Amino acid sequence: MAPADAGALLALADGYHARTVRPLGSPEVAGHVVKSYAIEAPGRTVTDQDSQAALRIAAHHLSSAHLRGSLGHSALLMHAGGDGDYVLVHTWIEGYMSDLAVFTGPAGNISRLRPGRSGLAPCVWEAAVLAYERDAFSRHVLDGDGAFEERLAAWRGDMMEGEVR
């Protein structure tokens, strides 16, 4: 059986391409270790100014994360997309679960980012980075050996870099 909208899916496939992922460090923000990434569409760049603005958005969101059961581990994705800019703040919370906030806005104007609509989820490129982060968290923190500080350092140092599809 063919999907109901095969034409739309084929149009997506025709435009599908790799995007660059760059690690931007793992600072401490609002009581959280935050692994920061840039995801860049062809012709787009996450600047230092964008990165600082995204960290401010993350700090604001994470300042109340303890109310959502935060465990103090977070990933921040700054996505200079083809159709706009996105900031995702992903936080590990109690019960093996996570909390996700998505902020969206026009391309090139990170000061206009606002919380995304209800139900908005990561795109295919963002999901690839979050899948990497899920594996790194499980491998180093949950399954890791040694003292907590050693596990945290291993997780903090394990950052994705290169192209994602």
Side-chain angles (χ1 to χ4, degrees):
M1 290 185 52
D5 200 346
L9 288 172
L10 289 174
L12 282 176
D14 287 343
Y16 189 56
H17 58 275
R19 295 210 172 166
T20 302
V21 175
R22 292 186 296 118
L24 298 175
S26 56
E28 293 186 23
V29 177
H32 291 72
V33 176
V34 178
K35 291 173 66 175
S36 300
Y37 291 95
I39 304 172
E40 299 164 331
R44 299 285 319 280
T45 302
V46 172
T47 67
D48 288 340
Q49 181 181 0
D50 296 335
S51 177
Q52 292 304 312
L55 284 169
R56 286 190 297 276
I57 290 169
H60 180 72
H61 178 72
L62 294 173
S63 68
S64 63
H66 67 283
L67 297 173
R68 295 182 299 277
S70 176
L71 299 173
H73 295 71
S74 187
L76 173 63
L77 283 55
M78 292 151 282
H79 188 175
D83 62 347
D85 288 339
Y86 303 86
V87 168
L88 284 74
V89 183
H90 178 269
T91 311
W92 291 106
I93 63 172
E94 60 201 7
Y96 305 103
M97 297 188 313
S98 61
D99 179 75
L100 179 67
V102 180
F103 299 85
T104 67
N109 193 345
I110 200 161
S111 67
R112 294 193 48 212
L113 291 180
R114 300 294 181 258
R117 65 172 174 75
S118 178
L120 184 63
C123 73
V124 294
W125 298 285
E126 296 157 354
V129 177
L130 292 177
Y132 182 93
E133 278 302 310
R134 179 259 175 226
D135 291 345
F137 181 76
S138 296
R139 183 174 48 256
H140 298 298
V141 177
L142 301 178
D143 277 340
D145 292 325
F148 175 74
E149 292 77 20
E150 295 168 353
R151 294 176 185 208
L152 181 62
W155 169 76
R156 199 174 194 169
D158 185 355
M159 297 192 73
M160 179 182 220
E161 185 169 12
E163 291 189 337
V164 294
R165 292 192 63 80

